[in-house]
Amino acid sequence: MGKKTDIDWSKLGFDYIKTDFRYISVWKDGKWDEGKLTEDNMLHISEASTVLHYGQSSFEGLKAYRTKEGKVQLFRPDRNAARMNDSCDKLLMPHVPEEKFIDAIMQVVKANIDYVPPYGTGATLYIRPIIMGVGHNIGVKPAPEYIFTVFCMPVGPYFSGGLKPCKFIVQDEYDRAAPHGTGKQKVGGNYAASLQAHAKAAKDGYADCIYLDPATHTKIDEVGAANFIGITKNNEFVTPKSSSILPSITKYSLLYIAEHYLKMPVYEREVFVDNLDEFKEAGACGTAAVITPIGAIDYEGKRHVFHSETEVGPTIKKLYDILYGIQLGDVEAPEGWIYEVK
């Protein structure tokens, strides 16, 4: 993409762009070093690193937003810190203290501040923290050393053509995670396990596939790499409850918004795939898209249409507008949700 001054904000996709600085810190001999910013976007690690052989790694994704007044702010980075540490517990990696996690993100955003897209462009600065096992180790055991790194890049709006419903297919021959496995953690292996199913869905003309619970294949777990939300005909906000669903920060934010801003009853419960007709609207939510409206789900040769295959439902639109408005500083946020980058 070249220099930041050359960026056409209106033409950004979700692609890697090398920005000026990234943060790196090393855990060795039982402690983290102070960490530093570097211009080097290449990692130098041992060929015996556990991240390469055994997938000992976790990552997060969050964004920096520029407000109408020109301020730059983060959305709930403390929740990303907590979720990364939950992943670290699962994979026997050292915690990244919340203070260190947020400080690293602040440093990276400030060092690349000119890459934060202007308000009104629909573009944002995407931030990717990663922790991985490195060092010389060939046995199946936790690594002797770890790298925590954070990089960022400007990305375009997820909906280049506006907020449009997408269609999905239930593929119950694939699981993204095992019962009591790593489905609740944001670890690299979950995404490697999803590539084949996604490729098949895309080839068949769908935005992505829907995964059912791995134990019984009767309940909705995730929609591709996102969480499912549904609006019932009784105007309730519902999202699945399962031991193999990633706890989406966007989902829990929408649960709060539905209850406190829209005064809706909210439920986190099992969502049976045979009972999709209880929903009048549906969506997939996550950091990248906020909400992808679900127009239709195909399951066992039948199509279930929500609201419309071409128009966004009114409640999904309201939820999207409020959450994105909070992130951009246009809607008042609940206390503690916004961190200003100064």
Side-chain angles (χ1 to χ4, degrees), residues 8-27:
D8 183 344
W9 305 111
S10 67
K11 292 185 178 174
L12 286 173
F14 196 81
D15 301 297
Y16 177 79
I17 294 172
K18 182 180 183 289
T19 50
D20 295 341
F21 293 97
R22 64 276 312 130
Y23 173 97
I24 189 164
S25 182
V26 174
W27 186 92

Side-chain angles (χ1 to χ4, degrees), residues 187-209:
V187 302
N190 293 353
Y191 295 82
S194 74
L195 295 175
Q196 187 180 33
H198 171 76
K200 185 177 186 300
K203 183 182 176 185
D204 293 337
Y206 297 92
D208 210 331
C209 64

Side-chain angles (χ1 to χ4, degrees), residues 75-134:
F75 180 74
R76 308 190 77 180
D78 56 319
R79 303 315 305 151
N80 293 94
R83 189 169 65 181
M84 177 170 270
N85 283 329
D86 181 61
S87 298
C88 288
D89 286 340
K90 187 72 171 179
L91 299 191
L92 299 184
M93 299 189 290
H95 276 201
V96 178
E98 181 184 304
E99 185 180 338
K100 183 181 183 72
F101 183 95
I102 294 175
D103 176 64
I105 290 166
M106 291 284 189
Q107 285 191 50
V108 168
V109 175
K110 282 191 274 192
N112 297 290
I113 200 75
D114 291 339
Y115 287 97
V116 183
Y119 175 89
T121 59
T124 51
L125 187 77
Y126 183 80
I127 305 156
R128 172 59 61 88
I130 316 165
I131 180 171
M132 67 192 81
V134 296

Side-chain angles (χ1 to χ4, degrees), residues 6 12-13 19 31 36 46 48 50 58 88 90 95 102 134 151 185 189 195 215 225 234 258 282 296 307 313 321 323:
D6 298 336
L12 286 173
T19 50
K31 62 181 186 296
K36 63 180 181 180
S46 168
T50 57
S58 170
C88 288
K90 187 72 171 179
H95 276 201
I102 294 175
V134 296
F151 66 94
Q185 285 76 35
L195 295 175
N234 295 328
H307 186 71
D321 287 344
L323 181 53

